[in-house]
Amino acid sequence: MAIIKRSYRTKKQKKPVIFYQAEVFIKGARVSVKTFRTKREAVLWHEKEQCKFTFSPASLNDQMTFKECLDRFFEDAKTRIMRVTLQRYEQHAVYLYNTPLAKTKMSELKGIKIVEWIDWLKKHPTAKSLKRSSFVEELRCLKTVLFWYKNFLNEDFNVPITKKHKQFCFLRPKTPRRPDYFIKPEDAKKWVEWLKANRSNPVYWRIATFMLLTGTRVSEACGLKWDVVDLERSMVRIVRRVSWDKINKNPSLDNVTKTTNSARLLILPKRLQALLSQMKKEAVGDLVFTDSKGELLRYNAIQSAFNAGFEALNLPWRSTHICRHTFATLALMETKNLSAVQASLGHTEQKTTQVYAKTVALLSSETGEKTASVIFKDSQLFWENS
């Protein structure tokens, strides 16, 4: 039985307030949690709640509707999923509640019900928007909820989502990604120089350079602090990231990375080491990359600056993530070492790295140095006098 005695104290209170937290675990995973003023209330709720989760699979299937499953999923998600991820699920949940699926019993949730739901989505007002090309993300959210139900509530449940459902979600033919999805070395140099010349805050060309030469995500670059930068050994540790609120766009620093493998050690090329050495002399706070007020960068500001450069140079890219694709592709072309590129990017599986650098899938260490020499070949350190 997981009944934990806890307490808290405010500035105005002399004595701590005691409360009890009851937690229900199924197969080692916490599926429900609630707090109470007395231990007796906590015990009674715990026993009642545990009974709900120990019904036979058939009983769960017969009694639970999809809406109830969805409520239970979000109740659990609040205790273990990061805030930004939870916000993304909540955005997609608009297309799950009050739909043909809501009143469907889990025992009756078959492939045909998914098709009916997709048909309902295609008649939704947002389907008419030119920005809406598919409902794939909504389908992915549904898939997450159903797998949660299978893992925690009914292991005999078969998730009825297949490849055809993903195909049905597209409102118009999907435009295939161009095979050369990376910035050419000569264009990358022009782009960085444009950012330097046309943006008053030097942080944009500096962070673009860092991302191009390390393959870091924009969230990892923005979360970089000087305590993880070792200029003497030319190393940087990726241990933090910035997340941006989906509603108000405000940034917040998280002391975690996207995945376990994303926490990694990167060797800095000499060009980047020189840039960071100069930046450290000018640094005021702990953050490496900051806005004009010395605070965390907002994603929309970075995206706006990057896209302005792409548009001015008539380049087809409109994404901060193109820097990561560029590093992966050029590093693989130069090193022929797929494993080293995978380690640099922090990917768990090699097939993910191949998606980033699929134009040279036959190739794969010395990744940072060789990639830097390709992008800035035969050029001076153009940031020396910045």
Side-chain angles (χ1 to χ4, degrees):
M1 182 179 295
I3 307 295
I4 306 172
K5 183 179 180 180
R6 297 186 181 278
S7 64
Y8 70 89
R9 179 186 298 171
T10 63
K11 293 182 178 179
K12 297 180 180 180
Q13 292 175 318
K14 295 182 179 180
K15 294 183 179 180
V17 177
I18 306 297
F19 67 96
Y20 295 86
Q21 179 174 299
E23 300 176 334
V24 178
F25 289 84
I26 301 295
K27 297 182 179 180
R30 186 172 68 177
V31 296
S32 192
V33 59
K34 194 172 182 180
T35 58
F36 299 89
R37 293 183 179 179
T38 65
K39 186 175 181 180
R40 182 176 181 277
E41 290 176 330
V43 171
L44 291 175
W45 176 87
H46 183 276
E47 292 178 351
K48 184 178 179 180
E49 191 72 7
Q50 196 169 39
C51 288
K52 295 181 182 179
F53 290 95
T54 53
F55 281 148
S56 66
S59 175
L60 282 171
N61 270 340
D62 291 339
Q63 296 182 9
M64 181 175 288
T65 64
F66 176 72
K67 183 178 182 300
E68 293 172 338
C69 174
L70 202 56
D71 290 336
R72 193 73 66 82
F73 167 78
F74 279 108
E75 183 181 346
D76 175 48
K78 291 176 182 178
T79 64
R80 59 185 181 85
I81 295 180
M82 294 189 67
R83 176 176 51 82
V84 176
T85 305
L86 181 60
Q87 286 182 333
R88 187 169 69 249
Y89 286 149
E90 289 173 343
Q91 285 180 332
H92 297 315
V94 175
Y95 302 92
L96 296 176
Y97 283 109
N98 300 320
T99 70
L101 288 179
K103 296 181 180 180
T104 304
K105 292 184 178 180
M106 297 304 293
S107 59
E108 300 173 356
L109 210 162
K110 307 297 181 183
I112 187 63
K113 293 292 183 179
I114 306 297
V115 174
E116 292 175 0
W117 171 68
I118 295 173
D119 290 338
W120 178 87
L121 287 177
K122 290 183 175 180
K123 297 176 183 178
H124 195 275
T126 58
K128 298 178 182 179
S129 173
L130 295 177
K131 295 182 179 180
R132 166 75 73 176
S133 60
S134 74
F135 287 99
V136 171
E137 290 300 320
E138 286 72 20
L139 180 68
R140 190 170 294 153
C141 181
L142 172 63
K143 191 174 182 179
T144 301
V145 174
L146 294 183
F147 269 106
W148 176 87
Y149 174 78
K150 177 181 176 65
N151 292 330
F152 297 120
L153 300 185
N154 186 358
E155 60 185 13
D156 294 330
F157 177 74
N158 291 319
V159 177
I161 297 177
T162 62
K163 288 185 178 180
K164 72 174 183 181
H165 294 120
K166 183 177 180 180
Q167 295 172 353
F168 291 162
C169 281
F170 287 97
L171 300 173
R172 54 190 64 89
K174 182 181 179 181
T175 304
R177 174 178 286 175
R178 51 189 297 168
D180 58 334
Y181 193 71
F182 67 97
I183 312 174
K184 295 178 181 179
E186 58 272 20
D187 290 337
K189 182 174 180 294
K190 292 178 182 177
W191 176 58
V192 172
E193 290 176 336
W194 187 94
L195 290 173
K196 181 182 179 183
N198 294 276
R199 285 293 177 267
S200 57
N201 191 340
V203 70
Y204 298 115
W205 72 265
R206 287 172 172 175
I207 196 171
T209 302
F210 183 85
M211 291 167 62
L212 282 170
L213 302 188
T214 60
T216 49
R217 302 175 178 90
V218 64
S219 59
E220 294 170 343
C222 290
L224 207 63
K225 285 188 174 183
W226 288 112
D227 62 348
V228 297
V229 179
D230 188 343
L231 294 175
E232 292 183 3
R233 296 181 177 84
S234 299
M235 297 187 303
V236 59
R237 289 183 294 120
I238 305 299
V239 295
R240 304 182 185 94
R241 71 170 183 173
V242 169
S243 59
W244 291 274
D245 192 284
K246 295 288 183 181
I247 300 173
N248 56 33
K249 311 301 181 184
N250 290 335
S252 59
L253 187 62
D254 302 324
N255 290 316
V256 293
T257 52
K258 183 178 181 180
T259 64
T260 304
N261 281 20
S262 294
R264 58 200 187 277
L265 181 67
L266 299 177
I267 303 301
L268 299 172
K270 293 179 181 178
R271 291 170 172 81
L272 193 53
Q273 184 183 15
L275 171 61
L276 291 175
S277 296
Q278 180 182 332
M279 289 174 60
K280 191 167 186 179
K281 294 176 182 178
E282 305 170 358
V284 178
D286 296 333
L287 293 169
V288 176
F289 301 105
T290 66
D291 62 12
S292 57
K293 298 179 180 179
E295 299 176 351
L296 291 170
L297 288 164
R298 297 173 72 94
Y299 178 76
N300 51 359
I302 302 171
Q303 188 178 43
S304 177
F306 281 19
N307 288 348
F310 291 139
E311 291 178 12
L313 298 173
N314 198 27
L315 297 176
W317 321 117
R318 296 294 182 272
S319 167
T320 59
H321 213 57
I322 190 65
C323 296
R324 191 162 162 85
H325 283 270
T326 301
F327 172 86
T329 304
L330 297 180
L332 201 52
M333 290 172 66
E334 289 300 304
T335 66
K336 312 295 189 295
N337 191 330
L338 186 61
S339 298
V341 178
Q342 177 188 353
S344 296
L345 296 175
H347 286 155
T348 304
E349 299 181 1
Q350 204 167 81
K351 65 180 182 180
T352 308
T353 309
Q354 291 174 341
V355 170
Y356 278 74
K358 59 185 177 183
T359 56
V360 283
L362 295 177
L363 313 175
S364 225
S365 248
E366 304 160 26
T367 52
E369 197 63 55
K370 288 194 174 183
T371 305
S373 66
V374 172
I375 296 178
F376 299 109
K377 186 178 181 180
D378 300 328
S379 66
Q380 297 180 346
L381 299 180
F382 56 85
W383 51 72
E384 286 181 345
N385 298 321
S386 61

